Amino acid sequence: MKKVDICCIIDDDPIFVYGTKRIIKEVDFAKNVIVYPNGQDALEGLLERSKNKEEIPDVIFLDLNMPIMNGWEFLDEFQKFPNNKAKKILIYIISSSVDPRDLERVKNYDQVDTYILKPITPDDLSKILGAKIES
């Protein structure tokens, strides 16, 4: 399977980030992993990468509940992202919430591919890689 060039994790939980990075490496999911602790840092970092003509992520794993800027606020701002027309970025919501309102609300965002319940598993990553190859 072809791996992703750049994967981005936006989550404030260092234990989740650590575990997810280990699974990404184990499954050989991505060449590079960028981590941001909240939506604000992620937005600023991704805009900076775009401005500097650096490669932006192919896949973003986004937590919903974070301080400073949560996942919903990030998604609202990301819709205005200048580079998301040039390259399709797949966003996967990674959350421990099973609130049906969250599952319904996520449908309002075209760039969100799937809602995955924490913790992320090697099988989740394999399915994403398989879907990327088919598209």
Side-chain angles (χ1 to χ4, degrees), residues 48-114:
E48 190 66 28
R49 289 182 76 86
S50 181
K51 252 195 310 194
N52 294 336
K53 307 233 183 304
E54 293 176 63
E55 201 171 344
I56 54 174
D58 303 288
V59 172
I60 295 175
F61 294 120
L62 176 65
D63 185 26
L64 292 177
N65 300 309
M66 297 175 286
I68 303 171
M69 179 187 276
N70 68 31
W72 299 118
E73 293 164 326
F74 173 83
L75 285 170
D76 289 338
E77 290 301 313
F78 191 76
Q79 288 180 324
K80 305 169 197 164
F81 192 75
N83 203 24
N84 69 3
K85 299 288 182 264
K87 177 179 183 178
K88 175 116 173 82
I89 300 170
L90 298 175
I91 299 178
Y92 295 87
I93 302 295
I94 309 291
S95 181
S96 50
S97 169
V98 290
D99 187 334
R101 291 172 298 190
D102 286 344
L103 296 170
E104 195 56 38
R105 186 175 175 190
V106 94
K107 294 176 185 171
N108 297 326
Y109 298 94
D110 291 339
Q111 67 271 59
V112 174
D113 191 277
T114 307

